[in-house]
Amino acid sequence: MATVSPALDAHGHADDHSHGGHHEQSFISKYVFSLDHKIIGIQFLITTLIMLMVGGALALAVRWQLAFPWENMPVVGQLFGLFRTEGGQISPEFYTMLFTMHASVMIFLVIIPILAGAFGNFLIPLQIGTDDMAFPALNMMSYWFMWPAIACFACSFFVAGGTAGPGNGWTSYPLLSDLPQAAPSSGSPQTFWLIGLTLVGVSSMMGSVNYLTTIINMRAPGMTLFRMPLTIWSMFITAILQAFALPVLTAAGFMLVFDRLGTIFPTDIHSVFFIPANIIVNNAAPTVGGGQPLLWQHLFWFYSHPAVYIMLLPAMGMVSDMLACMSRKPVFGYKPMVYSMAAIAGLGFIVWGHHMFTSGMNPALGMTFMTSTMMIALPSAIKVFNWIGTIWGGDLKFNGVMLNCSGFVAMFIVGGLSGIFMAAVPVDIYFHDTYFIVAHFHYVLFGSTLFGVFAAIQFWFPKMFGREMNDTVQRWHFALSFIGFNCTFFPMHLLGIAGMPRRYADPYLHGYLEHLLPMNRFITISAILMGFAQFLLLGNFFYSMFRGKKVGRNPWNANGLEWTAPSPPGHGNFDIAPVVYRGPYEYSSPEAEAIGQDFILQTVPHVKGVAKITHH
Amino acid sequence: MKKFWALFFFFWPTVAIISCVIAPSRGWWFPSPPMSRTGVQIDGLFYLILIIVTITFVATQYVLAYALWKGATKESGSKALFSHGSHKLEIIWTIVPSFILVFISLSQLDVLAEIRVISKFPEKATKVAEVTARQFEWRIRYPKPGTELTTVENPGDLYYVNELHVPTGKPVIINLRTQDVQHAFFSPQLRVKQDAVPGLVIPIWFDVREVGNYDLVCAELCGWGHYKMKARIVAQSQSSVDKYLKQLEADQNADGTKSEAAASGDE
């Protein structure tokens, strides 16, 4: 992989300041503790794909309990010591752990690192035309900090004897998460969970510092801000969100750890940030304190609402790139796309209160947060219209990339529209913490982000490995995932309207929910279909890595700088240092036609004899 | 094959709409009509948003599918439309949705104020009980008949678990609190939901329109037994509530021996 043409040493490394000379690397420094952004990106990608399957398995266990309450889990029920104590049955404590860890794994170990970690790392230097990240060592550490985090999450399953992992929800509201007596899971499992969360935060922070510096300082000559692909814009805006929101979560996490100092050291000394006085949990002595549990909710959502956009914006950017390429058309309204992403990020900081409409927060605040939340739907709507505008009149290529991107747009519409119900406070009073919200955020995080990621994996796979994925398998994977996804999550809207609360181990205990069992069985069967469809993706991914058809530099006839580099690019990326002359979306332009193509690389200078094209 | 995929994107929103249309008849809808005044308002706002959202959903999904269909039926190799966008369209689709969103937002404010702002609570509303959530039950405290409910416990207060009796046809106030972790008071039929936050006493009001039993469940994760915080709200006429409270008082004060009146009657 590191064997590159001599030209690279002459050009690519002429002004090399970020890493040392070009020496033969050992396997360890080349593939394990690698400083190369591409290897780190691929490491993130493979790690997160494996974690995706772990998180999916946890979800299927949740679904098993909801479809067949208290019945023994088939196969896996007997496999692990975890279940054997209950004879293969899911206990209520175990159920709380399942949904907590499903969310934690999916959010912190899959969605955030697969977007920023995998694609951010891989694409940023390639798309802006530089040889690596600004801080390669920091970049390597951002990957390796994931592993202690994964280890902490894994430990949290077992520290309490495997009977109770962290079971306080991924939101970890105090006092349940604060007082160790409150639940079996609130002791050491919760502590491990918090430490794991902090480590993920450290990893993300190192990444975002790197992305910001790289994008600001290391763009190729001619790569002005408004010539950057929307992927880069989205990574840039995401990095800003991370950099400003994450410290708040880290601080809140430490406050919670200090409240819980007694679970780490044998001491009675601890803080009371979130603990009010006179709370009696499980017949323990009344608490002494003057804290406020709502403070956690404010701090947590001050991070976690922007985090929703951290989990979405990069996918939006990548989908814009891919839709343009597969439609052979420029992105419709490039600048409105940039401004609307910036607006989403800006508004994203002032909408956190919409998670707290039933929390007893001052109603005047509720009105403010409702209005800002409604307004954030506006840039989202603008983006949807622009994506449809991009497809409109295009010379469409109906491959796996295009289908997954169209799926992204279709699912994002559903997720966006269902959000309006919950932005409206009175309606949210009914829907808060019901399955309606479960449906909503899965449409955004899975329906949008993951379908975008499925497309991105196939689209940039040739650049990663010099081979392409099998498109027929990818289309089957899309069809099965899409059908499974909609059959799983669309009916959850109806469960929510029927008033089924989230996080219930056995909803059918309540008479008004009894008749929903058949629908829950249908959902579970669909979820199993969707889960197993992911093996098509994984199989295709690993098979194509070694056996896929070899392709050249630019298999999609795309315009971006990454397609001027070899596939896969060597250490240092470009054999000819790129100079940028135009925006990334000049598909089917008169200039492209003049040279007999329907695309024109960003590195191609102005074509003589064709009127120069200016944006707007 | 291209046409198949374009039709696929026509097909699924159609199925989604059909499943929503048949949902109420299959019981996949609200557990009951709204049984409180604010519930009626909440449902009204829900249907208002539902209409706007459904129109937007149908329009955007079918336009997307049509754009794909256009691409699928295009002669292969024919040139794509070259356009960087349209300033006019951007302005239209910025202004129109923003008006709709502001309209939705403003339409919520009155109901929100009525439900949540304490100074807007109905004047005639009476404080009937304090509900204290704990893992995993609802403890109800009524004031001693003839006295007012206060935030501190008074001698003679009446206690019960997992059953809250309220009069119908008039607004009532519940003082909501929790003894341990956070819970949420959720009655799906009354469309009432409020978190019980440790350290706070939060008043909520509602009026029940019809006599009946309504579910009271917990809607905020409170531990392993979250799902089993099952209670009921018994709505009955004022006289029945009075009778119930009198019986409760008698039961609570019974010391296992016969009452004085009965004892004197024996002599």
Side-chain angles (χ1 to χ4, degrees):
Chain A
M1 224 178 244
T3 47
V4 288
S5 64
L8 184 139
D9 287 290
H11 292 273
H13 284 224
D15 55 350
D16 190 351
H17 49 84
S18 52
H19 38 76
H22 209 68
H23 53 87
E24 208 46 49
Q25 292 175 299
S26 67
F27 181 83
I28 296 278
S29 64
K30 192 165 148 193
Y31 293 117
V32 183
F33 295 102
S34 173
L35 296 173
D36 184 339
H37 72 100
K38 298 181 291 296
I39 301 293
I40 296 169
I42 293 167
Q43 286 173 329
F44 263 116
L45 183 60
I46 292 174
T47 311
T48 47
L49 283 177
I50 293 166
M51 287 301 142
L52 177 71
M53 300 312 273
V54 173
L58 293 166
L60 288 185
V62 168
R63 286 310 320 171
W64 175 262
Q65 168 70 6
L66 288 173
F68 305 99
W70 315 123
E71 283 179 39
N72 292 348
M73 284 267 283
V75 193
V76 281
Q78 301 306 318
L79 224 56
F80 302 115
L82 286 172
F83 293 89
R84 210 173 285 144
T85 43
E86 278 83 31
Q89 196 188 49
I90 293 175
S91 65
E93 295 92 324
F94 199 76
Y95 183 82
T96 58
M97 188 277 280
L98 284 172
F99 64 71
T100 301
M101 292 313 287
H102 164 64
S104 309
V105 168
M106 286 301 198
I107 291 167
F108 297 113
L109 303 182
V110 180
I111 305 279
I112 293 179
I114 206 171
L115 291 174
F119 288 102
N121 254 313
F122 189 81
L123 293 176
I124 289 172
L126 280 169
Q127 288 198 328
I128 64 171
T130 185
D131 51 2
D132 208 318
M133 285 286 180
F135 311 115
L138 196 66
N139 206 17
M140 177 189 78
M141 290 211 293
S142 98
Y143 175 70
W144 286 104
F145 262 82
M146 288 292 288
W147 281 102
I150 293 170
C152 281
F153 279 176
C155 280
S156 66
F157 279 85
F158 301 109
V159 280
T163 52
N168 303 323
W170 81 281
T171 52
S172 272
Y173 279 6
L175 296 168
L176 186 61
S177 62
D178 198 326
L179 301 173
Q181 306 92 334
S185 55
S186 301
S188 43
Q190 180 65 23
T191 308
F192 273 90
W193 184 88
L194 279 166
I195 295 169
L197 185 70
T198 308
L199 290 169
V200 175
V202 172
S203 159
S204 294
M205 187 52 110
M206 290 194 283
S208 60
V209 168
N210 223 339
Y211 304 158
L212 285 175
T213 318
T214 309
I215 295 173
I216 292 171
N217 285 330
M218 296 176 70
R219 299 191 308 277
M223 180 61 90
T224 59
L225 286 178
F226 283 117
R227 279 181 185 166
M228 295 199 305
L230 288 169
T231 303
I232 299 300
W233 267 111
S234 67
M235 294 293 174
F236 183 61
I237 292 168
T238 303
I240 296 173
L241 280 176
Q242 293 255 32
F244 285 90
L246 200 55
V248 178
L249 179 75
T250 310
F254 276 115
M255 287 159 84
L256 196 49
V257 166
F258 284 128
D259 271 12
R260 301 165 40 79
L261 220 49
T263 63
I264 305 174
F265 306 109
T267 169
D268 287 337
I269 301 169
H270 63 85
S271 59
V272 288
F273 288 113
F274 308 119
I275 308 174
N278 277 324
I279 298 295
I280 301 167
V281 170
N282 260 330
N283 298 324
T287 56
V288 179
Q292 170 55 280
L294 282 187
L295 176 62
W296 168 267
Q297 294 187 26
H298 281 292
L299 296 175
F300 179 83
W301 289 116
F302 187 83
Y303 165 75
S304 292
H305 197 80
V308 172
Y309 300 110
I310 292 168
M311 292 183 261
L312 183 63
L313 285 173
M316 287 177 157
M318 294 192 294
V319 165
S320 307
D321 271 22
M322 292 183 281
L323 273 181
C325 178
M326 294 306 158
S327 307
R328 316 308 296 162
K329 273 189 70 197
V331 163
F332 197 90
Y334 171 87
K335 280 191 180 172
M337 287 296 232
V338 174
Y339 297 145
S340 52
M341 280 198 283
I344 289 175
L347 285 169
F349 274 108
I350 54 165
V351 297
W352 79 89
H354 68 223
H355 298 269
M356 301 169 60
F357 283 153
T358 66
S359 69
M361 172 179 75
N362 186 330
L365 277 178
M367 293 179 188
T368 318
F369 281 125
M370 172 169 69
T371 313
S372 58
T373 306
M374 287 286 179
M375 289 333 288
I376 210 167
L378 184 60
S380 313
I382 293 169
K383 294 194 77 72
V384 168
F385 298 141
N386 279 314
W387 284 318
I388 296 176
T390 306
I391 300 172
W392 193 271
D395 175 20
L396 308 187
K397 311 290 175 214
F398 281 84
N399 51 27
V401 177
M402 180 71 192
L403 292 174
N404 276 303
C405 288
S406 311
F408 168 97
V409 177
M411 300 295 91
F412 180 68
I413 293 172
V414 181
L417 290 176
S418 62
I420 293 178
F421 290 96
M422 278 161 300
V425 187
V427 181
D428 182 62
I429 287 176
Y430 182 72
F431 285 129
H432 184 85
D433 267 327
T434 66
Y435 261 74
F436 197 87
I437 182 137
V438 178
H440 163 72
F441 64 66
H442 280 97
Y443 264 91
V444 179
L445 291 183
F446 190 148
S448 309
T449 302
L450 274 188
F451 280 103
V453 164
F454 295 155
I457 289 174
Q458 190 186 356
F459 188 70
W460 279 290
F461 191 89
K463 195 49 62 184
M464 290 179 185
F465 303 107
R467 295 168 187 273
E468 66 178 17
M469 289 172 88
N470 183 317
D471 191 56
T472 310
V473 178
Q474 280 304 93
R475 277 177 288 159
W476 272 102
H477 169 254
F478 167 74
L480 293 176
S481 303
F482 191 86
I483 294 168
F485 172 83
N486 280 292
C487 291
T488 303
F489 293 107
F490 198 82
M492 286 189 188
H493 291 113
L494 303 173
L495 292 181
I497 295 174
M500 181 171 146
R502 298 165 74 179
R503 297 168 168 175
Y504 268 26
D506 183 7
Y508 317 109
L509 187 71
H510 304 276
Y512 79 102
L513 298 171
E514 265 174 352
H515 68 288
L516 298 173
L517 182 64
M519 183 181 263
N520 272 308
R521 288 217 169 132
F522 172 75
I523 291 175
T524 299
I525 291 162
S526 309
I528 292 170
L529 167 78
M530 177 174 68
F532 279 88
Q534 302 320 309
F535 285 106
L536 285 178
L537 176 76
L538 285 190
N540 197 0
F541 185 91
F542 289 109
Y543 181 84
S544 305
M545 229 165 115
F546 303 105
R547 294 286 175 82
K549 200 177 125 215
K550 284 197 173 173
V551 291
R553 292 180 182 221
N554 193 359
W556 306 110
N557 291 337
N559 292 339
L561 292 184
E562 73 270 35
W563 306 106
T564 66
S567 296
H571 201 44
N573 293 344
F574 296 94
D575 39 13
I576 303 162
V579 178
V580 179
Y581 292 94
R582 57 186 69 247
Y585 302 119
E586 302 293 316
Y587 295 100
S588 307
S589 77
E591 283 189 285
E593 251 178 16
I595 53 173
Q597 306 177 144
D598 66 350
F599 68 102
I600 185 159
L601 283 161
Q602 285 189 276
T603 50
V604 176
H606 175 59
V607 180
K608 286 201 179 67
V610 187
K612 208 162 192 175
I613 294 170
T614 45
H615 279 277
H616 311 294
Chain B
M1 206 55 194
K2 286 177 172 185
K3 288 181 184 168
F4 166 81
W5 288 116
L7 289 174
F8 186 79
F9 280 88
F10 276 111
F11 172 71
W12 86 265
T14 313
V15 175
I17 292 288
I18 292 172
S19 68
C20 284
V21 170
I22 62 166
S25 66
R26 307 299 301 267
W28 308 330
W29 210 246
F30 290 105
S32 78
M35 286 301 175
S36 67
R37 180 145 59 90
T38 49
V40 174
Q41 290 169 318
I42 286 173
D43 278 27
L45 292 171
F46 168 78
Y47 285 110
L48 170 76
I49 297 176
L50 184 65
I51 291 166
I52 295 171
V53 159
T54 306
I55 294 169
T56 319
F57 173 80
V58 170
T60 46
Q61 295 290 1
Y62 286 153
V63 170
L64 170 67
Y66 179 68
L68 292 171
W69 177 257
K70 265 180 61 151
T73 52
K74 210 177 173 104
E75 270 177 59
S76 65
S78 68
K79 194 181 161 296
L81 177 76
F82 178 67
S83 156
H84 276 289
S86 151
H87 200 64
K88 211 188 210 168
L89 276 176
E90 299 289 348
I91 288 175
I92 293 172
W93 64 44
T94 305
I95 291 180
V96 173
S98 61
F99 272 104
I100 297 173
L101 289 165
V102 169
F103 163 73
I104 296 177
S105 200
L106 294 178
S107 65
Q108 313 290 320
L109 291 179
D110 288 342
V111 180
L112 168 61
E114 203 173 325
I115 296 174
R116 283 281 193 266
V117 178
I118 291 177
S119 60
K120 298 232 173 189
F121 278 18
E123 277 171 26
K124 293 176 296 178
T126 48
K127 290 190 174 179
V128 292
E130 177 185 85
V131 175
T132 305
R134 73 190 286 269
Q135 292 172 326
F136 298 99
E137 64 186 16
W138 302 92
R139 293 197 164 174
I140 319 292
R141 177 169 69 89
Y142 303 97
K144 181 181 164 67
T147 65
E148 291 263 305
L149 182 75
T150 58
T151 48
V152 291
E153 294 180 60
N154 294 310
D157 284 350
L158 305 176
Y159 296 86
Y160 206 76
V161 175
N162 287 343
E163 197 174 292
L164 170 65
H165 286 247
V166 293
T168 55
K170 58 166 90 169
V172 295
I173 294 178
I174 303 289
N175 274 352
L176 183 63
R177 62 198 301 172
T178 169
Q179 186 195 312
D180 42 40
V181 302
Q182 191 165 334
H183 302 267
F185 180 103
F186 176 34
S187 177
Q189 292 89 358
L190 303 182
R191 316 280 196 264
V192 173
K193 189 179 286 144
Q194 174 60 55
D195 289 4
V197 182
L200 299 181
V201 181
I202 301 175
I204 46 176
W205 81 271
F206 54 86
D207 54 353
V208 190
R209 300 197 301 165
E210 282 174 36
V211 171
N213 291 340
Y214 304 107
D215 288 282
L216 166 56
V217 299
C218 180
E220 190 65 69
L221 178 66
C222 57
W224 66 270
H226 171 49
Y227 68 100
K228 57 177 211 172
M229 284 186 66
K230 183 182 179 173
R232 59 182 183 162
I233 298 172
V234 180
Q236 49 196 180
S237 64
Q238 183 66 59
S239 58
S240 304
V241 173
D242 293 341
K243 214 164 114 191
Y244 166 80
L245 289 177
K246 210 168 167 189
Q247 182 61 42
L248 192 60
E249 187 174 31
D251 290 349
Q252 193 166 298
N253 292 336
D255 53 5
T257 58
K258 286 176 183 173
S259 68
E260 279 175 31
S264 60
D266 274 351
E267 276 178 278

